[in-house]
Amino acid sequence: MIEIKNLNKSYSVKGVKHKILHNINLTVHQGEIFGIIGKSGAGKSTLLKMFNLLDAPDSGEIYINGVNIVNCTDGKLRSIRKQIGVVFQGFNLLSSKTVFDNIALSMIFHKTYTKEEIHTRVNELLHLVGLYQMKDKYPSALSGGQKQRVGIARALATNPHVLLCDEATSALDTQTTSSILELLLTINKQLNITIVIITHELEVVRKICDKVAVIDGGSIIEQGKTLDIILHPKKEITRKLILEEEVDKYLSDVMDFYKFHKTDNTHLILVSFIGQTTFEPFLSKISLDSGVLFSILKGELGRIKYMPFGQLLLEMNGDIHQVNKAFTLLKNSNIHYEIIS
């Protein structure tokens, strides 16, 4: 388990002190995939460096499996860092080393493994990430996705309990990103490794994270289960980052061919649904029971980790009594909706 308490960090630039992290508190439980999402400059990367004390805080406590690493001796800290693997945005592979040798680097660095142990472990990881046939290739012969798979295998070489991912998919295309996220899910499920991933991409959080913290201006403004944060954001900043990002995407997609005219009887709503509701004809039921008419302008079906999830941009048409009844039915069906206009 990872626990961060009252963490603060500042940097001085030309004698001027800039506070980067403000009173950070969060807990990551064993086996979770925990996402930290925020815009560029929010403090995500600085926070991630604190998890293995690559950067020291001004104040606060950082517990890894009950040990406060802020107060650790150098020897104890090295031992704890062995339990923490890091996956970088830029891959950070050595161009002069083969795939096999790049993965073996961390084991060689720790000087506690025999050649036979290194050979066995690296081959296991090559099979896990699907690169066994590429083990003698050099990074220049690999695609971006393959390089990141090497980076993931290298991070796993010392059998860590925790995997830290620093924008691990931001340099990849959509299809490759999906395959890397699937690999991280497999690693989490098969090896029970705790994963902390920082990202500015909502899709990363939706696809693999159990819990998420939203960081803005160096402060955690909201955190909780991914489903709750995405469907019921409490803070306005979170709404803009998560909900309105989706709404803007939907509206821009339909703007070229659809002109919405607001009247007393028409409403534009975004409906989000999860679980079994995803496969039920709930719009037909609500339309029949309330009398409102729905026009589907845009739709999406996916998942939040393993949970089915969908969103629909709808125009709702009906008088005030019909509309109020429809909203009541949506609420009673545990279907989250947002009135866009």
Side-chain angles (χ1 to χ4, degrees):
M1 184 181 78
I2 302 168
E3 190 173 10
I4 292 178
K5 296 182 178 181
N6 306 316
L7 195 72
N8 293 278
K9 179 65 180 178
S10 299
Y11 292 116
S12 292
V13 180
K14 296 182 179 180
V16 179
K17 199 171 185 179
H18 298 272
K19 201 157 191 178
I20 306 301
L21 297 175
H22 311 261
N23 198 36
I24 300 293
N25 290 276
L26 58 83
T27 300
V28 183
H29 291 101
Q30 175 63 38
E32 284 183 340
I33 301 182
F34 194 100
I36 301 173
I37 188 170
K39 295 181 179 179
S40 179
K44 304 187 301 296
S45 293
T46 300
L47 177 56
L48 196 74
K49 291 175 184 176
M50 303 289 171
F51 280 81
N52 58 358
L53 217 64
L54 286 180
D55 203 351
D58 297 337
S59 61
E61 300 167 304
I62 305 165
Y63 291 90
I64 306 293
N65 293 327
V67 178
N68 184 5
I69 62 174
V70 175
N71 299 327
C72 277
T73 63
D74 290 344
K76 181 65 174 177
L77 183 58
R78 280 194 296 271
S79 176
I80 290 175
R81 282 175 174 164
K82 186 178 176 182
Q83 304 170 20
I84 304 172
V86 183
V87 180
F88 301 96
Q89 175 183 356
F91 316 133
N92 287 10
L93 304 181
L94 295 183
S95 60
S96 60
K97 299 285 187 179
T98 64
V99 166
F100 185 100
D101 291 336
N102 267 283
I103 296 172
L105 277 176
S106 58
M107 299 183 75
I108 295 170
F109 173 78
H110 283 287
K111 300 179 181 179
T112 56
Y113 299 93
T114 66
K115 288 183 178 180
E116 291 75 18
E117 288 173 329
I118 292 173
H119 186 268
T120 299
R121 179 60 176 163
V122 172
N123 281 324
E124 287 175 355
L125 291 169
L126 284 165
H127 284 293
L128 177 65
V129 301
L131 289 179
Y132 184 77
Q133 300 301 322
M134 308 289 288
K135 66 178 182 178
D136 296 322
K137 300 289 186 182
Y138 289 87
S140 60
L142 306 180
S143 67
Q146 289 170 332
K147 290 177 182 177
Q148 193 57 285
R149 286 173 180 270
V150 176
I152 291 170
R154 179 184 57 194
L156 295 173
T158 58
N159 289 293
H161 302 154
V162 178
L163 192 63
L164 305 179
C165 300
D166 184 4
E167 296 276 9
T169 61
S170 63
L172 307 175
D173 59 57
T174 302
Q175 185 175 354
T176 306
T177 291
S178 293
S179 70
I180 294 298
L181 295 179
E182 288 293 336
L183 176 59
L184 291 175
L185 279 173
T186 298
I187 290 167
N188 171 252
K189 188 174 182 179
Q190 290 185 3
L191 307 180
N192 195 35
I193 290 178
T194 304
I195 298 176
V196 179
I197 183 166
I198 68 165
T199 182
H200 63 274
E201 299 173 280
L202 179 61
E203 197 63 22
V204 171
V205 171
R206 282 176 48 175
K207 282 190 173 181
I208 69 170
C209 293
D210 300 293
K211 293 180 182 176
V212 61
V214 182
I215 187 169
D216 184 73
S219 297
I220 299 291
I221 60 169
E222 196 162 357
Q223 62 178 305
K225 293 181 180 179
T226 304
L227 279 170
D228 295 334
I229 297 297
I230 288 180
L231 295 182
H232 307 288
K234 295 181 176 64
K235 302 291 186 180
E236 186 63 24
I237 294 174
T238 311
R239 287 173 53 82
K240 288 181 179 179
L241 182 64
I242 294 177
L243 180 62
E244 293 182 12
E245 176 182 314
E246 294 296 291
V247 173
D248 289 344
K249 180 181 71 175
Y250 287 161
L251 290 178
S252 64
D253 285 349
V254 301
M255 193 61 68
D256 289 340
F257 62 87
Y258 177 76
K259 302 297 181 183
F260 174 73
H261 300 286
K262 177 72 177 107
T263 70
D264 291 339
N265 293 331
T266 58
H267 305 273
L268 203 59
I269 66 171
L270 182 69
V271 176
S272 302
F273 42 93
I274 61 172
Q276 187 58 35
T277 308
T278 306
F279 309 107
E280 296 176 353
F282 68 90
L283 285 184
S284 299
K285 292 178 182 178
I286 291 173
S287 182
L288 287 171
D289 291 345
S290 67
V292 300
L293 297 176
F294 291 107
S295 296
I296 300 175
L297 307 181
K298 183 75 177 178
E300 178 182 11
L301 181 66
R303 70 184 188 192
I304 297 180
K305 201 169 183 181
Y306 299 114
M307 181 71 71
F309 168 81
Q311 283 187 317
L312 294 174
L313 182 66
L314 305 169
E315 181 184 325
M316 176 191 289
N317 196 302
D319 63 37
I320 188 170
H321 301 293
Q322 293 171 324
V323 168
N324 286 338
K325 186 172 183 180
F327 286 149
T328 299
L329 291 168
L330 283 168
K331 185 176 181 180
N332 291 342
S333 300
N334 292 319
I335 297 170
H336 185 71
Y337 66 89
E338 294 286 335
I339 301 173
I340 307 307
S341 65

